[in-house]
Amino acid sequence: MKYLLSLLLVFLTAFPSFAQTNQDETHIRKIFDEALERGESYEMLRHLTKNIGGRLSGSPQAAAAVEWSRQQMMAYGFDTVYLQPVMVPHWVRGQKEIGRIVNSKKLGSVDVNVVALGNSVGSGSEGVLGNVIEVQDFQELAKLGKDQIQGKIVFFNRPMDAKLLDTFSAYSGASNQRGAGPSEAAKYGAIGVLVRSLSSFKDDVPHTGGTRYGLNIPKIPAVAISTNDADKLSDLLEDDTDLKFYFETHCEMLPDVLSYNVVGEIRGSQKPDEIIAVGGHLDSWDLAEGAHDDGAGCVQSIEILRIMKAMGYQPKRTIRAVMFMNEENGLMGGRKYAQLAEENNENHIAAMESDRGGFLPIGFGISGTKAQQDKLLSWKSLFEPYNIHQFKRGGGGADISPLRTQDVPTIGYLPDSQRYFKYHHTGIDNFEVVNQRELELGAAAMASIIYLIDQYGL
């Protein structure tokens, strides 16, 4: 027996990476077991969505979400839980929007599905009525010029590219018409803007999202129109360029208000000054409950620390769960977090974000040095038993992106994205569309990456 033990000791000494891999495989299996058998992320999400609901920055619901997440992390016994004050925009939607095609040759007048873009000015009760001119991009808009645009409603109708398997790339390729379209159209004298909803699907559900007004350019009202109604309007315009469109919105931007990022952490036992942050954004749009965007990312981040405590795991480094405020229409929480990290000389060795929904995990992407990327990519084989296989260079998230100026490697959690843009920024992003097992698998996958970074650094 002693002889066999000696041989085993020699073997493990000669091949430390083998022993290390076995140890990591065992620990990761335990993480998944804890998340799948005793996970609490789904019930946390139920409370956040059903008891609090949509959490637009500056709203009473956003304030309630701050207090809920603070109390939740305190109840789990995290070593430290605290608030980071941050001033955030306070945009309100007001009463329900109206959208109507007026006096078309084929259909006469017909109501369509629209929602105001976030941060947009409102039209007031007088509404916006005008002829419509359809464009695909800013280059086409510039070619038409002021002579053909002035006094009209510009209709940006460029769809997301259905050929792209990465739906986030498709989203990026179409999103500038929403973000900058209203100001671009206003340069040429437009009186209002319609934007095709940024969706991978044909349906009657309009998608909101933030717009950004340029300096010294008139602010004009802007709405998103559902993909089905965008197609309908485009078809009608082919035969009737004189049809008119009417929309009415009652949104307005109020003075900034005080809100908070919420931070919970487990202090490291060996290197407490080295910080690994993981988070999601606590705010959401106001049309629904913000389940996928981004209640899922918030509860997954809290769940990671809960799993560690439940397993009795004492991290070497400090692990933080961060609930960022105001990603949707300002990014003020992410900027404040990075500012305070710099002012306090904090040493973040990595930051991870979950902001792509609570769908089935497929991988991770990392931005950083080649050595940091190589290290994360070297862990791929540990995740293959869980069908998590996409480890790639390049990744992160909006809220952790300000940390890149401090040379912090940023990691984006990658769930399957094919269904995400059905729910993103809509009135149907509710608790019921999140699958419990997929949410829990995602939390386990993220916790496993955090464990590896804690063990071996980046």
Side-chain angles (χ1 to χ4, degrees):
M1 186 67 175
K2 288 182 178 179
Y3 176 72
L4 290 175
L5 288 173
S6 298
L7 280 178
L8 180 61
L9 181 62
V10 169
F11 179 78
L12 293 178
T13 303
F15 302 98
S17 62
F18 178 81
Q20 191 177 78
T21 298
N22 277 349
Q23 174 186 316
D24 295 335
E25 287 175 352
T26 300
H27 193 86
I28 288 171
R29 179 69 261 180
K30 289 179 179 178
I31 288 173
F32 273 83
D33 289 349
E34 174 64 29
L36 295 175
E37 292 183 336
R38 294 171 291 279
E40 298 188 16
S41 58
Y42 195 64
E43 288 308 311
M44 278 192 277
L45 184 63
R46 185 195 302 274
H47 185 98
L48 180 62
T49 55
K50 291 302 180 187
N51 290 23
I52 297 176
R55 306 168 297 280
L56 191 58
S57 293
S59 69
Q61 293 85 356
V66 166
E67 183 58 19
W68 169 79
S69 54
R70 185 182 73 86
Q71 291 188 19
Q72 185 70 57
M73 290 193 280
M74 289 177 63
Y76 281 140
F78 298 167
D79 294 337
T80 310
V81 180
Y82 58 94
L83 304 179
Q84 293 181 332
V86 56
M87 298 300 293
V88 299
H90 187 196
W91 180 82
V92 294
R93 185 175 301 279
Q95 66 191 64
K96 184 174 174 55
E97 302 90 339
I98 297 170
R100 184 175 299 129
I101 297 168
V102 180
N103 294 329
S104 73
K105 292 176 181 177
K106 285 187 177 179
L107 297 180
S109 295
V110 56
D111 289 341
V112 296
N113 297 285
V114 299
V115 291
L117 295 185
N119 296 348
S120 172
V121 297
S123 70
S125 57
E126 68 275 12
V128 177
L129 175 66
N131 292 107
V132 179
I133 187 156
E134 179 180 347
V135 299
Q136 292 292 303
D137 52 39
F138 297 163
Q139 291 74 25
E140 187 176 354
L141 189 71
K143 285 181 181 178
L144 290 168
K146 193 168 186 176
D147 288 345
Q148 297 186 63
I149 299 295
Q150 190 161 19
K152 296 179 181 176
I153 296 171
V154 170
F155 171 32
F156 289 103
N157 193 32
R158 184 170 79 257
M160 288 172 55
D161 189 346
K163 301 187 300 299
L164 295 176
L165 295 181
D166 180 359
T167 59
F168 278 84
S169 294
Y171 174 75
S172 296
S175 62
N176 71 332
Q177 60 192 334
R178 186 196 71 203
S183 282
E184 288 296 317
K187 291 177 183 178
Y188 303 100
I191 59 173
V193 163
L194 301 171
V195 178
R196 181 188 184 90
S197 283
L198 299 179
S199 174
S200 307
F201 297 83
K202 297 289 185 71
D203 57 31
D204 297 319
V205 180
H207 296 232
T208 191
T211 194
R212 302 177 301 276
Y213 289 117
L215 294 175
N216 303 316
I217 299 172
K219 296 179 180 180
I220 59 176
V223 297
I225 182 171
S226 74
T227 51
N228 278 347
D229 286 330
D231 289 342
K232 180 188 297 181
L233 177 58
S234 183
D235 290 343
L236 292 173
L237 283 168
E238 286 187 8
D239 298 325
D240 184 4
T241 57
D242 290 328
L243 69 75
K244 295 182 184 296
F245 195 92
Y246 173 82
F247 70 90
E248 183 179 320
T249 62
H250 296 268
C251 42
E252 59 180 324
M253 185 67 80
L254 301 176
D256 290 357
V257 299
L258 177 64
S259 189
Y260 303 89
N261 295 329
V262 189
V263 182
E265 64 183 29
I266 300 176
R267 295 284 291 171
S269 60
Q270 298 178 25
K271 300 178 179 180
D273 293 334
E274 293 188 6
I275 299 165
I276 305 168
V278 58
H281 64 85
L282 197 53
D283 63 304
S284 75
W285 287 108
D286 55 321
L287 298 174
E289 297 168 357
H292 278 298
D293 188 21
D294 183 30
C298 290
V299 300
Q300 285 173 327
S301 300
I302 297 173
E303 176 75 347
I304 290 167
L305 274 66
R306 186 205 68 80
I307 288 171
M308 289 182 175
K309 286 191 68 69
M311 294 175 61
Y313 176 74
Q314 178 59 57
K316 298 177 181 179
R317 298 165 167 92
T318 294
I319 314 297
R320 275 187 188 168
V322 185
M323 309 294 104
F324 296 98
M325 181 55 69
N326 183 232
E327 187 270 350
E328 293 292 7
N329 66 332
L331 204 66
M332 300 309 295
R335 291 171 179 164
K336 174 60 72 171
Y337 184 86
Q339 175 193 330
L340 292 174
E342 186 169 26
E343 290 176 359
N344 296 329
N345 294 313
E346 291 181 339
N347 178 22
H348 284 74
I349 67 163
M352 180 189 293
E353 185 164 348
S354 172
D355 188 17
R356 294 188 171 211
F359 299 102
L360 189 70
I362 60 172
F364 299 88
I366 176 173
S367 294
T369 65
K370 184 177 184 302
Q372 290 165 341
Q373 293 177 332
D374 288 346
K375 194 161 194 176
L376 185 123
L377 268 58
S378 74
W379 297 329
K380 178 181 176 181
S381 62
L382 292 168
F383 291 82
E384 288 173 349
Y386 307 95
N387 295 318
I388 299 169
H389 53 82
Q390 189 179 121
F391 280 59
K392 66 179 188 178
R393 302 179 193 276
D399 283 302
I400 59 177
S401 62
L403 288 169
R404 290 291 302 135
T405 62
Q406 300 170 39
D407 296 324
V408 178
T410 57
I411 302 165
Y413 162 61
L414 304 177
D416 187 305
S417 68
Q418 300 309 313
R419 290 172 287 159
Y420 184 66
F421 289 100
K422 182 178 182 67
Y423 306 108
H424 182 247
H425 296 178
T426 68
I428 60 173
D429 183 14
N430 296 316
F431 174 74
E432 291 77 11
V433 301
V434 177
N435 179 280
Q436 179 176 353
R437 189 166 179 84
E438 292 183 351
L439 182 75
E440 292 170 346
L441 284 166
M446 293 167 64
S448 299
I449 288 287
I450 297 297
Y451 156 75
L452 291 167
I453 297 172
D454 179 53
Q455 286 291 306
Y456 309 115
L458 265 184

